[in-house]
Amino acid sequence: AHWADTHSLRFLLYLARRLDGLPVMLLISTRSGEPGADPEVWTHLATQPFVHVIRPGALSEHAVATMLAAGLRQPPADSFAAACQAATGGTPFLVHELIAALAADQVAPDAESAPRVQRVGPRTVATATLVRLARMPRGSVALAQAAAVLAGEAPLYRAARLAGLPEDEALPALDGLVG
């Protein structure tokens, strides 16, 4: 639904409000940071009392190993899977990008190749991150840069001020980074 227009999102909100108590489930999936998604409607939808928002966490080392085995057509060594999980942080998109780069470079998923992931991984992850940052809502990149400068636990208002973002743009920018 991250590509839905505002009218369609408002209809989903209208529909969701009328389903409470019925044996019906409305499942809506979205990826934050996509252009066009109306953050106000998403906020109203997500804060309904009967709505359960699920935010998947990072992939485990075992899950990364499963993806590696499928993508490289052979089971990886434990140290190789650990290196891949560390290089990507367990983000499925980044794991997929890393697998594509490893396959293109014909890197064997063995223990001897684990250090090579550190060379291939960061370059691939950096490129994928730059592409993703370019698609984020206005202010997300500036907020990320401000957070990097603050280097630690900083309140959103402080990072937004450093990024030069108005208060009403800070939360959508943060949502673009978190998703």
Side-chain angles (χ1 to χ4, degrees):
H2 46 273
W3 292 315
D5 63 0
T6 301
H7 296 295
S8 298
L9 291 176
R10 288 190 190 281
F11 174 75
L12 289 173
L13 177 59
Y14 171 85
L15 180 63
R17 287 178 173 159
R18 279 141 189 87
L19 294 177
D20 191 24
L22 296 175
V24 175
M25 179 174 75
L26 177 63
L27 178 65
I28 303 170
S29 174
T30 185
R31 183 173 60 212
S32 61
E34 290 294 326
D38 184 340
E40 183 178 337
V41 178
W42 279 118
T43 300
H44 287 298
L45 189 58
T47 57
Q48 294 300 309
F50 49 85
V51 169
H52 300 282
V53 176
I54 300 170
R55 297 185 194 279
L59 295 174
S60 66
E61 189 176 310
H62 176 72
V64 170
T66 301
M67 287 180 70
L68 286 165
L72 299 177
R73 294 185 172 83
Q74 58 181 304
D78 290 343
S79 59
F80 189 86
C84 291
Q85 203 278 342
T88 62
T91 303
F93 171 74
L94 299 178
V95 173
H96 176 74
E97 292 298 311
L98 179 59
I99 290 169
L102 293 169
D105 290 349
Q106 298 179 345
V107 176
D110 53 27
E112 293 78 32
S113 298
R116 191 166 176 195
V117 170
Q118 294 173 348
R119 291 191 302 272
V120 174
R123 175 180 43 112
T124 301
V125 171
T127 301
T129 301
L130 289 173
V131 169
R132 188 170 180 124
L133 283 172
R135 295 187 331 213
M136 288 188 173
R138 188 174 106 63
S140 293
V141 174
L143 189 62
Q145 291 168 334
V149 168
L150 293 171
E153 297 288 326
L156 178 59
Y157 76 88
R158 186 175 296 152
R161 189 176 311 144
L162 181 60
L165 289 176
E167 196 172 314
D168 62 327
E169 292 179 21
L171 199 52
L174 176 63
D175 188 48
L177 292 171
V178 174

